[in-house]
């Protein structure tokens, strides 16, 4: 259970942040504009940063890139699944929401609720992979030490 404590904790916090931001936008009628979803990356990025750094602090010198990457992926996937579930429920509770959201794109295509939910999930998963990789590159232990040079050619 200890392996999942950071991903579950921070995944829940990220999901709460994303849901709160979405509901705040909905108060002002801005939740139908996809441009505001850019800030979702900031919320996700901050949560992933804290999850990975907290995990790294716990591991100390035993921190490994692969394990940090898995913590980030698991955290982001949990947050994405929770937010996507909320988004699906919200879309069902507010039948006008989906129609307003789709007309923002002015398309002639038929877009179902399933396609929109799939897109939300896909964007969350893709953002998680990219942000996790970026944070791990910045946070990984350097091998540019005397000890590290022993293990390089």
């Amino acid at each position: 259970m200890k392996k999942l404590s950071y991903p579950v904790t921070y995944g829940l916090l990220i999901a709460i942040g994303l849901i709160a931001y979405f509901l705040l936008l909905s108060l002002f009628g801005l939740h139908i504009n996809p441009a505001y979803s850019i800030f979702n990356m900031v919320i996700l990025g901050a949560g992933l940063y804290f999850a990975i750094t907290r995990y790294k602090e716990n591991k100390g010198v035993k921190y490994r890139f692969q394990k940090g990457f898995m913590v980030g992926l698991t955290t982001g996937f949990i947050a994405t699944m929770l937010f996507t579930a909320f988004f699906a429920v919200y879309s069902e509770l507010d039948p006008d929401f989906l129609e307003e959201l789709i007309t923002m794109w002015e398309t002639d295509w038929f877009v179902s609720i399933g396609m929109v939910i799939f897109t939300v999930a896909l964007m969350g998963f893709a953002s998680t992979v990219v942000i996790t990789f970026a944070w791990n590159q910045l946070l990984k232990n350097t091998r540019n030490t005397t000890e590290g040079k022993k293990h390089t050619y």
Side-chain angles (χ1 to χ4, degrees):
M1 182 64 187
K2 187 165 174 84
K3 282 186 175 185
L4 286 177
S5 64
Y6 294 123
V8 170
T9 302
Y10 285 97
L12 285 171
L13 290 174
I14 293 168
I16 290 168
L18 292 170
I19 292 168
Y21 176 63
F22 182 85
L23 292 174
L24 180 68
L25 287 176
S26 70
L27 286 176
F28 300 105
L30 301 173
H31 63 305
I32 60 169
N33 191 341
Y36 289 106
S37 67
I38 295 292
F39 192 70
N40 289 353
M41 295 264 280
V42 174
I43 296 169
L44 181 64
L48 290 175
Y49 174 79
F50 289 123
I52 295 167
T53 54
R54 182 80 189 270
Y55 177 76
K56 182 179 179 181
E57 288 171 2
N58 185 323
K59 287 296 183 181
V61 295
K62 293 185 176 187
Y63 173 79
R64 298 290 176 252
F65 181 89
Q66 298 85 348
K67 299 292 185 180
F69 194 75
M70 288 307 299
V71 167
L73 284 182
T74 308
T75 303
F77 285 6
I78 289 170
T80 299
M81 288 186 288
L82 292 173
F83 180 73
T84 302
F86 162 78
F87 191 85
V89 170
Y90 185 89
S91 298
E92 289 296 321
L93 293 176
D94 185 4
D96 297 332
F97 166 67
L98 190 60
E99 184 66 31
E100 292 172 356
L101 179 67
I102 292 172
T103 57
M104 288 296 294
W105 292 324
E106 295 183 20
T107 180
D108 293 331
W109 294 13
F110 171 73
V111 180
S112 67
I113 183 76
M115 184 58 79
V116 174
I117 291 170
F118 175 74
T119 303
V120 168
L122 189 61
M123 287 182 356
F125 293 143
S127 299
T128 295
V129 171
V130 172
I131 293 170
T132 299
F133 187 72
W135 282 135
N136 271 296
Q137 285 297 321
L138 292 172
L139 296 172
K140 69 181 179 183
N141 295 328
T142 181
R143 297 187 88 180
N144 296 333
T145 61
T146 307
E147 179 64 25
K149 288 181 182 178
K150 292 179 185 176
H151 304 289
T152 59
Y153 299 104

